[in-house]
Amino acid sequence: MSQFKYFEEKLFIENVSVKNIVKKNKTPFYLYSEEQIKKNYLDFEKIFKKVNPLICFAAKANTNLTVMKILGKLGSGADVVSGGELLKALKAGIKPNKIVFSGVGKTEEELKLAIKKKILLINVESESEAILINELGEKNNKIISIGFRLNPNVDAKTHKKISTGKAENKFGVSLKNFSSFYRNIKQFKNLKIDAVSVHIGSQILSDTPYKRTLDVLSKIIKDLNIKLKYVDLGGGFGITYSKKDKQINLNNYAKLVYTFKKKLNCNIIFEPGRSLVGNAGILVSKIQYIKKGLNKDFIIIDAGMNDFMRTALYDASHDIVPIIRTNKKSKESIEFVGPICETTCKFTKNIKK
């Protein structure tokens, strides 16, 4: 059950009036429910209890230090994609041996930082990155534990801008190229492949593409006879933004992963992001002006696309709710827009209220 509810037409979060919070804080601001974050994490952990995975929160979903501390105290690790995220995860109290570093464009400085901090895994995304890490290991006289991110060429049927598992996407290496690299791994004396990694996209609402990905992984691991400590299955689990969205069946996926794990005798890593924090917060904004247009009224608020990018970047749809509900109805179509000097700085299409 959501921690955001109405009592006597006033919006509350965890039994605290949002109106009273607004009185003490300048808008726009994000407001999060700690209880909802905890519930999301514990529910996820319970669903995958038999799998007993290392859960590494995808920091890119929300790098708020307090949010990361809450998850860290529950036992979460972190999946990071930059040196800044790595440092923030450590500052949040997350242990280095629970941190994996992903991303296609890690700089030499970031790789040195990851090696220095002795994190669990660097998820390598190209042959050239592997060569650089091997060189860094040689200079430091260290054997560096890596994961290798595969591109399984699986279409997750999600928004094209957040698809990451198809052959046309920039992420990971093809199965063919990985096979070639792995057969020549002995020449990389300062690398140790402890994991293979995949991540096929975000906001995925079906377990079907995950099943296909498990099948692809099983085949290549068997074909190459790889002995692994970990398989990092990524994240991307979707949440419901509207009543028409279908909830992903994680219980079914958990059974598939458990069978996969037993067959390979390895540990599983997950990287959930929005599924842990996406429904735990709201963006609180004030109406600045109401302007009459030719065919609609513009509701101009003090939050812009710099505060909340999803609607501008993905044409995403989000509910807009008042802090105090009334029975007043607009006779015109309305559009909620922000102050940035871009037409795309808006939060709804034409709606009737």
Side-chain angles (χ1 to χ4, degrees):
M1 186 178 290
S2 172
Q3 299 295 325
F4 294 90
K5 304 171 188 173
Y6 280 100
F7 294 105
E8 296 180 351
E9 307 306 318
K10 295 178 182 178
L11 185 64
F12 280 70
I13 173 175
E14 295 182 17
N15 300 318
V16 179
S17 166
V18 175
K19 183 180 179 182
N20 289 342
I21 296 173
V22 171
K23 288 178 181 178
K24 300 175 183 178
N25 296 276
K26 185 178 179 181
T27 58
F29 62 86
Y30 279 94
L31 180 60
Y32 296 99
S33 164
E34 180 175 350
E35 290 305 309
Q36 188 66 52
I37 293 170
K38 288 179 176 177
K39 182 181 185 303
N40 292 342
Y41 181 88
L42 294 173
D43 284 350
F44 187 90
E45 189 178 54
K46 184 178 179 181
I47 289 170
F48 290 97
K49 185 177 180 180
K50 285 183 71 176
V51 175
N52 190 28
L54 171 59
I55 302 171
C56 292
F57 171 62
K60 57 183 172 286
N62 194 315
T63 54
N64 182 288
L65 190 59
T66 302
V67 170
M68 293 179 73
K69 283 180 178 178
I70 291 167
L71 291 165
K73 286 178 181 177
L74 291 171
S76 179
D79 160 50
V80 303
V81 293
S82 70
E85 286 185 4
L86 171 54
L87 291 173
K88 188 168 274 193
L90 293 170
K91 190 173 182 181
I94 295 172
K95 301 296 183 185
N97 65 355
K98 287 187 173 184
I99 297 175
V100 296
F101 196 158
S102 306
V104 298
K106 307 177 198 72
T107 65
E108 184 172 340
E109 182 182 10
E110 288 174 324
L111 290 170
K112 286 178 179 177
L113 175 65
I115 294 166
K116 180 182 177 182
K117 296 299 182 182
K118 299 178 181 178
I119 68 170
L120 179 64
L121 285 174
I122 300 172
N123 274 334
V124 176
E125 300 222 19
S126 66
E127 295 92 332
S128 53
E129 183 184 348
I131 292 168
L132 174 57
I133 295 173
N134 187 65
E135 290 172 357
L136 293 174
E138 191 175 356
K139 287 177 184 176
N140 291 278
N141 195 27
K142 288 183 178 179
I143 305 295
I144 300 170
S145 178
I146 64 168
F148 221 107
R149 180 168 176 178
L150 306 181
N151 185 316
N153 195 21
V154 171
D155 185 355
K157 304 295 182 183
T158 187
H159 193 288
K160 64 181 180 180
K161 292 185 179 180
I162 48 177
S163 171
T164 63
K166 295 196 288 184
E168 65 198 60
N169 301 137
K170 67 182 179 181
F171 301 95
V173 297
S174 69
L175 302 178
K176 180 181 177 181
N177 287 347
F178 174 72
S179 297
S180 175
F181 178 88
Y182 186 76
R183 289 189 176 102
N184 294 297
I185 189 64
K186 288 183 180 178
Q187 66 181 293
F188 296 93
K189 300 187 183 304
N190 293 86
L191 294 184
K192 186 170 185 291
I193 297 183
D194 279 334
V196 294
S197 165
V198 289
H199 180 72
I200 57 174
S202 298
Q203 188 51 15
I204 300 168
L205 295 172
S206 167
D207 60 340
T208 301
Y210 289 118
K211 182 182 184 302
R212 289 182 58 203
T213 301
L214 291 177
D215 292 341
V216 171
L217 284 175
S218 293
K219 186 176 187 307
I220 191 167
I221 292 170
K222 182 181 178 182
D223 288 350
L224 295 175
N225 193 28
I226 313 174
K227 304 301 180 187
L228 298 165
K229 280 188 181 179
Y230 304 96
V231 174
D232 183 344
L233 293 174
F237 313 113
I239 61 175
T240 55
Y241 288 97
S242 67
K243 291 179 181 178
K244 68 178 182 179
D245 287 337
K246 184 180 177 183
Q247 186 72 48
I248 184 170
N249 189 338
L250 285 182
N251 286 298
N252 189 45
Y253 183 45
K255 293 174 185 175
L256 296 173
V257 175
Y258 180 65
T259 302
F260 174 85
K261 175 184 177 176
K262 281 179 64 179
K263 189 190 302 181
L264 294 180
N265 191 28
C266 65
N267 295 302
I268 300 296
I269 298 173
F270 281 127
E271 300 168 357
R274 85 174 73 211
S275 58
L276 299 186
V277 297
N279 68 341
I282 57 174
L283 173 61
V284 181
S285 178
K286 283 183 179 177
I287 295 174
Q288 297 292 92
Y289 305 102
I290 298 176
K291 181 167 70 173
K292 288 197 171 293
L294 186 62
N295 300 312
K296 58 191 171 186
D297 289 347
F298 294 99
I299 312 298
I300 303 167
I301 61 177
D302 62 0
M305 65 182 191
N306 57 313
D307 302 300
F308 188 68
M309 180 62 76
R310 293 194 79 251
T311 48
L313 188 61
Y314 306 130
D315 295 318
S317 176
H318 290 262
D319 288 337
I320 297 177
V321 299
I323 289 175
I324 300 175
R325 289 195 297 201
T326 69
N327 292 321
K328 293 180 181 178
K329 300 283 184 180
S330 171
K331 295 179 181 179
E332 305 295 330
S333 292
I334 60 175
E335 187 170 278
F336 283 83
V337 299
I340 307 300
C341 295
E342 297 267 355
T343 301
T344 192
C345 183
K346 59 184 178 180
F347 298 93
T348 60
K349 297 176 182 177
N350 286 11
I351 57 174
K352 268 280 191 182
K353 286 288 185 184

